[in-house]
Every structure is written in C-alpha cells, then in structure tokens.
C-alpha cells in the first residue's frame, strides 16, 4: 500500500530551480510555440545569447506555461537533448523538477499535466483579461498530495512507456515523411525517372516533353473551416475533434495528441465535417518564420468525427492528385512561396489566390499513377502510426488521473499497458 504525502508544492517539488548560465554565452533556447500539447518531449529549435532574462532549465526539467491561453492549451513539456545540458526560454515558463528524496522528476511532469492540477493553476491566474498569468506565490503554496517515491517511479515508468512509444512513432513518421519528400523531389523537381527522354522549355524552366504547366486552381478548390468559439470548448467526453492550427507541426503530417474537446451542435453546418483521408492545409501561422504555414496532412480513419476550424482548409481535388499535392504543399519551395506571399509583421495568412495562382508542371495520368503506387505504402504507414498514437494517448489520459488519485492499482495499470504496447 502506497504511503501518500501532502504538503505545499514548493516543499515537495523544485520550483524554478537555480541554473547558472553565463551572461553573453550562447545557449539552446525553447520558445513557447515549439511546445506541442500532450506531447511530452521538447527540444530547442534555436540558440540565443543569454542576457539575463528568461526561464533557465536543465535536461529533464518540466516547462509549465503560466500565461493564457497557453496553459489552457496544455503547453507543458519535458526538456531533452539540450546542448551541454542547460538552456533557457520564454519568461512565461515555470520550471519544475523533482526534489531529491521526495519526488521523481519524471513523475513531476505527469503530476502537472494532470487535468486537476492544470485546472487549479487556471484558478490562480491574475491580471487583465487576455494577458492573465498564474500567480507564482499562490502556485508554489498550493497543497498537493503525492504517493511515496517508489510508487512515483512506477507511475512514471508506466506512463513513460506510453509516451516513449508515441515519441517513437512520431520519429518514425519523420523518417517516412523524409522518404516521401525525397521521392517527390526525385520525380517532380529533379525529373530523375525522365532524364533519358526529351525535355522542353517552359515558364518554369526545362520540363519533360508531354508535361504541361498549370495553375493549382485548375485541379483544386479550397473549402475553409468554421470559426469555433471558446464557449464551444467542453470537458464532456465526446468523439468530436476540431482540426486546428495546433494539429500541424514542423514538417508534413498531422498530430492529434491533444485532448481539447468541442461541443458541436446543430448550429455548425455539416459542410465543415471532414471524412477519412481528406487532405487539409493550414493557412495561418503566428510565427514570422512560417513554421507551419502551407503544411498539409490527411485526416485519419478512426471512430472519431473530425471538423474543420478556421485558418485551416480542406483541399478538394481528384483522388489521383492527393499524394502529389500532399508532397507539394510540404516542400521547401512551396513553403518559401507561402511565407513570402503571406508576409506580415504579425500573423501570416494565406489567401485563396496564393494557392490558386501557384504554378506546377503536371505529367500525364500514367506518370501520376506510377508515383501514387510508390507513395501509397509510405502514406499508409504514416496514417497507421498516427492512429496508434491516438489510441495510446487515450490509454495514457485514462490512466494518468486514476494513478495520481490512487483509484487504479499500479500493478493493474502495468498489466494494462503491457497489453497495448
């Protein structure tokens, strides 16, 4: 039987632990936008000079967003692979770490991602509307209850095994996506399979004879999403998922690892409902670097309903063009087009004409058919991995609150996880 300990958070967990960084030195930097909801690891995507401000942390520390709407959106992650083990990031992070002999560092991550903990943190927000932040003093003084250290480690091991499998699938999909993009570049950029044939001059340069230059408007139609309101967020269990900007990541594909729910009533037109294998594209980006703008992915085939949000669009096209368009939209060349076309000092937004007027070299149906045969296996594996991650996420999110409350016995949970991994 586990012995439970109750006390103030600051007495059981290291809150904003001391990390010594040298002013003027370059360190890995973690910005708020690289943290993905319900995805455990986060790595620095850039390096910056440390001047004085910002949250300081080490590998294994948990970054907890304290500002609205990042906290409500689940911006919580555990840092990994920092160069030389140290880094810094947004001032809006609270840094958390296990306290020696009392709390396990991995357990701390699961403790603060638990819905009950997050909801309590939301109640501790102060400040003006739209810029509210968690009050640090009240945050540190909140009372928590935790099991003994040995039980914490077992809980961390159970939930960690699920998150490691999710991470493995994500990394596997990155490799598959690289394969898909390499194949696309070989066929439609370098024209590798056609080098022995004749070429002709075109407005896009030399292209294989028999190919034609078209505007995308000739083969696609954009269908924009619905402007879901914050009042439609729900804590009720349902099987409705709204495809949003947050489902897109750097690189191709989609992720449905967050557990934000929506109440979708009769006021939402059925035309915004998506079908399995629909191709969707993100039309906006809050970062000036345009990390996700123009990215595309397929809707998975599972038991849930998927609905289209604003700033995301469905690409209506003939089935034969879907793999070609998927690769095109995720290519570096198209990404550059999107960033320059939607150039802005604030939010980047693509307009219909930015896509419709884009020109590509299109081969005959026989070439596209051969390309699709090679792409089909890759895309199928990507979608299978995404689907498995959705299932794993549900298992993890079912077990997490029950393990942290003692409702489920640790040994019982260990057996349950063994069956799904």
């Amino acid at each position: 039987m586990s012995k439970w300990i109750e006390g103030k958070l600051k007495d059981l967990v290291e809150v904003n632990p001391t990390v010594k960084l040298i002013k003027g030195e370059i360190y890995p930097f973690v910005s708020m936008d690289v943290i993905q909801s319900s995805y455990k690891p986060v790595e620095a995507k850039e390096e910056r000079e440390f001047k004085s401000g910002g949250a300081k942390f080490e590998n294994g520390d948990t970054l907890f967003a304290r500002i609205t709407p990042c906290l409500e959106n689940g911006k919580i992650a555990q840092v990994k692979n920092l160069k030389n083990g140290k880094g810094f990031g947004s001032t809006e992070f609270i840094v958390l770490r296990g306290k020696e002999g009392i709390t396990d560092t991995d357990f701390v991550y699961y403790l603060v991602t638990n819905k009950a903990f997050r909801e309590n943190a939301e109640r501790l927000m102060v400040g003006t509307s739209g810029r509210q932040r968690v009050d640090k003093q009240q945050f540190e003084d909140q009372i928590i209850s935790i099991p003994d250290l040995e039980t914490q480690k077992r809980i961390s091991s159970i939930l960690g095994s699920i998150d490691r499998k999710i991470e493995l699938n994500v990394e596997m999909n990155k490799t598959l996506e690289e394969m898909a993009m390499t194949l696309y570049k070989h066929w439609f950029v370098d024209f590798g399979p056609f080098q022995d044939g004749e070429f002709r001059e075109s407005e896009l340069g030399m292209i294989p004879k028999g190919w034609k230059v078209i505007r995308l408007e000739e083969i696609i139609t954009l269908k924009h999403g619905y402007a879901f309101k914050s009042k439609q967020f729900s804590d009720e269990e349902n099987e409705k998922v709204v495809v949003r900007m947050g489902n897109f990541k750097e690189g191709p594909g989609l992720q449905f690892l967050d557990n934000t729910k929506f109440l979708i009533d009769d006021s939402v037109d059925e035309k915004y409902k998506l079908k399995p294998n629909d191709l969707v594209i993100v039309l906006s980006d809050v970062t000036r670097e345009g990390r996700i703008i123009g990215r595309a992915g397929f809707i998975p085939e599972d038991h849930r309903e998927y609905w289209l949000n604003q700033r995301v669009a469905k690409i209506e096209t003939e089935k034969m063009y879907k793999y070609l368009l998927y690769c095109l939209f995720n290519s570096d060349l198209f990404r550059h087009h999107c960033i320059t076309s939607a150039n802005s000092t604030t939010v980047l937004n693509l307009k219909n004409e930015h896509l419709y007027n884009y020109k590509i070299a299109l081969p005959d149906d026989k070439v596209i058919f051969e390309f699709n045969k090679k792409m089909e296996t890759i895309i199928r594996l990507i979608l299978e991995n995404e689907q498995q991650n959705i299932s794993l996420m549900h298992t993890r999110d079912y077990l997490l609150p029950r393990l942290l409350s003692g409702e489920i016995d640790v040994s019982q949970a260990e057996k349950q996880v063994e069956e799904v991994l």
Side-chain angles (χ1 to χ4, degrees), residues 403-417:
L403 284 169
L404 294 185
S405 66
E407 180 182 337
I408 289 182
D409 180 77
V410 176
S411 297
Q412 177 187 345
E414 286 172 337
K415 292 179 181 178
Q416 187 170 340
V417 171

Side-chain angles (χ1 to χ4, degrees), residues 4 107 110-117 119 145 147 155 159 237 259 393-409 413:
W4 287 71
F107 176 82
Y110 291 110
L111 172 71
V112 302
T113 55
N114 189 27
K115 179 182 175 182
F117 186 95
E119 288 180 342
S145 181
I155 291 173
L159 300 175
E237 290 297 327
N259 53 11
M393 176 202 73
H394 283 310
T395 300
R396 180 199 63 198
D397 292 348
Y398 171 82
L399 292 175
L400 193 154
R402 289 163 176 81
L403 284 169
L404 294 185
S405 66
E407 180 182 337
I408 289 182
D409 180 77

Side-chain angles (χ1 to χ4, degrees), residues 145-159:
S145 181
I146 58 174
D148 60 75
L149 188 56
E150 181 183 350
T151 304
Q152 291 176 37
K153 291 179 178 179
R154 290 180 68 187
I155 291 173
S156 300
S157 178
I158 293 167
L159 300 175

Side-chain angles (χ1 to χ4, degrees), residues 102-247:
I102 300 176
T103 39
D104 173 65
T105 290
D106 288 326
F107 176 82
V108 169
Y109 166 79
Y110 291 110
L111 172 71
V112 302
T113 55
N114 189 27
K115 179 182 175 182
F117 186 95
R118 287 172 51 192
E119 288 180 342
N120 187 61
E122 290 172 24
R123 288 191 286 269
L124 303 179
M125 282 185 164
V126 296
T128 57
S129 178
R131 297 299 294 174
Q132 291 185 314
R133 294 173 174 84
V134 173
D135 181 84
K136 289 184 178 180
Q137 188 62 53
Q138 293 185 67
F139 183 81
E140 292 181 349
D141 288 341
Q142 65 180 302
I143 303 299
I144 62 170
S145 181
I146 58 174
D148 60 75
L149 188 56
E150 181 183 350
T151 304
Q152 291 176 37
K153 291 179 178 179
R154 290 180 68 187
I155 291 173
S156 300
S157 178
I158 293 167
L159 300 175
S161 63
I162 297 175
D163 276 318
R164 283 191 296 275
K165 179 58 177 174
I166 290 174
E167 185 180 358
L168 180 63
N169 283 344
V170 169
E171 292 301 316
M172 191 182 304
N173 273 3
K174 288 180 181 178
T175 300
L176 290 167
E177 288 158 358
E178 288 172 3
M179 292 169 58
M181 298 310 297
T182 298
L183 182 65
Y184 165 78
K185 182 176 182 294
H186 180 61
W187 279 58
F188 291 93
V189 179
D190 300 331
F191 306 120
F194 318 103
Q195 288 299 319
D196 294 336
E198 294 184 56
F199 279 69
R200 70 172 181 87
E201 186 69 48
S202 78
E203 58 189 295
L204 298 179
M206 298 298 291
I207 63 174
K209 188 176 180 180
W211 291 39
K212 59 183 178 180
V213 175
I214 67 162
R215 294 167 61 246
L216 284 182
E217 188 174 24
E218 297 178 45
I219 61 171
I220 72 169
T221 301
L222 288 174
K223 295 296 184 181
H224 292 261
Y226 178 77
F228 286 93
K229 305 296 190 297
S230 58
K231 65 181 181 180
Q232 291 171 293
F233 283 77
S234 171
D235 289 329
E236 296 180 13
E237 290 297 327
N238 63 66
E239 301 298 333
K240 301 180 189 296
V241 178
V242 174
V243 181
R244 300 169 292 154
M245 288 173 58
N247 295 121

Side-chain angles (χ1 to χ4, degrees), residues 281-298:
I281 184 171
V282 63
L283 302 177
S284 297
D285 199 329
V286 295
T287 67
R288 293 187 64 184
E289 297 86 357
R291 289 175 177 152
I292 61 171
I293 195 166
R295 300 297 192 192
F298 291 102

Side-chain angles (χ1 to χ4, degrees), residues 292-317:
I292 61 171
I293 195 166
R295 300 297 192 192
F298 291 102
I299 299 301
E301 185 172 355
D302 61 35
H303 63 284
R304 304 193 297 182
E305 289 183 9
Y306 289 86
W307 294 73
L308 193 64
N309 197 22
Q310 62 180 341
R311 298 183 176 179
V312 180
K314 174 185 172 183
I315 302 292
E316 293 195 339
T317 187

